[in-house]
Amino acid sequence: MNEQTGCIVAGGGPAGIVLTLLLARQGISVTLLESHKDFDRDFRGDTIHPSTLEMLDALGLMERVQQIPHGRISKMQMHTPGGAFMLADFNRLKIKFPYVMTMPQVKLLNLLAEEIARYPSARILMGAAVTDLVTEGDHVRGVRYRRDGAIHELRAPLIVAADGRFSKIRHLAGFEPVGTAPPMDVLWFRVPRKPDDPFDGAGGFIGGGHIAVLLDRDTEWQVGYVFPKGEYARLKEAGFAEFQKQVVLRVPFFADRMNSLKGWGDCAVLSVESSMLKRWYKPGLLLIGDAAHVMSPVGGVGINYAIQDAIETANTLAGPLKEGKAPVRDLDRIQRRRQMPTRLIQRMQGMIQRAVIARAMKEGQRFRLPLPMRIMTRIPGIRNIPLRIMAFGLNRPHVKV
């Protein structure tokens, strides 16, 4: 069955669903294709930074978002063998939402999907997996997708690939990402959070060649256990009981709750490899979010940069799409406006990985934060610069409401 729409968005993550909503608000016919039957994927990025909170507020959705059970991170502490220090305090910024909100990503995506359903020009097709691109020469005219056992063809002036770090459309289009930072692995899991825990917000625990990152999620801690690339096999070989013991050595107040994890099935391994495409588009096709640039988890800014890509795309292309057009010059403009801030933040993440994380993961070496970072976290004024970058990014686009 062949159909026509005003814009095809592939991928129902934050970038794809925000773009679909913004285009729908402009009255543009838009179809979102999501390969899964629902939005529920465990251990996805669950942090919502102030820039995204302000976007949700501008769309009139913040009251509904705040009704969803969530955690708030206003402070980030670093705990080392030499003592603890404050890495970031969003309360120092004079902004409307001086915190990072944490909630299961599925909750936010479901809320945005409900909002999209209010607009007759938009539709979401769940369980619709793209299988091929429809092309004429170098121009992408549409996609073929499988849904309920049948193959469908859908055409549009523009296809936006927002289908994540393992993007199917990126592969079909022949684009190859270029690595931008050293790889590492993160083992994610959750344990109960108690009211009398020694701190709230977020924290990093460094020692013995590993790092444990804790994120407050209201009734539980989401924990990222960072270790050198390729060490997961050795970690598993030592046994789950040994892993639990190693975590408690770094986070002592977890001693009474690590038994809430029954085995490796309660954990998820994320291979972290920061990368970016040299080119994000070809005629009729644009890649955004992780499909265009995979972000390191350092700072937790990946979701927010993906959403900013969506905002820039909607701002730039809403007018042309209303006329059934997606000029290549506009696709190029989107890349140029988003590529530089993304490249700069990836470089900053790479520097932190090399200067802090790589040093912290050297066993037997007493860790100490590099002098420039110790200075930056203590001098008023200067210490707010990286904080503001974490909160809003660089060259943040605003929604045209």
Side-chain angles (χ1 to χ4, degrees), residues 328-372:
V328 171
R329 66 175 180 275
D330 287 340
L331 304 183
D332 181 67
R333 182 178 296 114
I334 293 167
Q335 176 175 346
R336 284 188 285 107
R337 289 184 63 83
R338 294 300 304 150
Q339 187 175 44
M340 184 55 69
T342 304
R343 178 177 289 132
L344 288 174
I345 201 69
Q346 284 188 335
R347 287 179 179 174
M348 292 174 63
Q349 290 176 322
M351 289 172 57
I352 293 172
Q353 283 184 229
R354 287 184 286 267
V356 179
I357 297 176
R359 289 174 59 179
M361 289 193 295
K362 291 182 180 179
E363 292 192 45
Q365 178 174 305
R366 185 177 177 83
F367 174 81
R368 193 179 186 195
L369 197 69
L371 180 60

Side-chain angles (χ1 to χ4, degrees), residues 44-48 53 56 62 64-72 100-109 111 190 216-218 222 303:
R44 297 174 74 163
D46 293 334
T47 56
I48 310 173
L53 295 176
L56 294 167
M62 198 54 195
R64 289 164 61 189
V65 170
Q66 289 176 325
Q67 291 173 357
I68 300 172
H70 61 273
R72 295 187 179 186
V100 172
M101 181 180 287
T102 58
M103 72 167 61
Q105 191 178 111
V106 61
K107 301 290 187 182
L108 177 63
L109 296 180
L111 184 150
R190 298 190 184 106
D216 178 358
R217 284 187 44 168
D218 192 23
Q222 180 165 320
I303 295 173

Side-chain angles (χ1 to χ4, degrees), residues 49-50 76 88 90 100 299 301 345 385-393:
H49 286 227
M76 300 182 182
F90 286 103
V100 172
V301 298
I345 201 69
I385 295 175
L387 195 59
R388 185 166 287 277
I389 292 173
M390 187 185 303
F392 297 106

Side-chain angles (χ1 to χ4, degrees), residues 130-146:
V130 173
T131 60
D132 205 357
L133 298 177
V134 179
T135 61
E136 295 177 3
D138 191 44
H139 200 120
V140 179
R141 299 294 186 183
V143 300
R144 294 187 184 93
Y145 65 91
R146 182 183 299 277

Side-chain angles (χ1 to χ4, degrees), residues 219-236:
T219 60
E220 61 187 7
W221 291 108
Q222 180 165 320
V223 185
Y225 192 70
V226 187
F227 48 88
K229 186 71 177 178
E231 194 178 304
Y232 183 52
R234 192 176 75 172
L235 201 66
K236 289 191 72 173

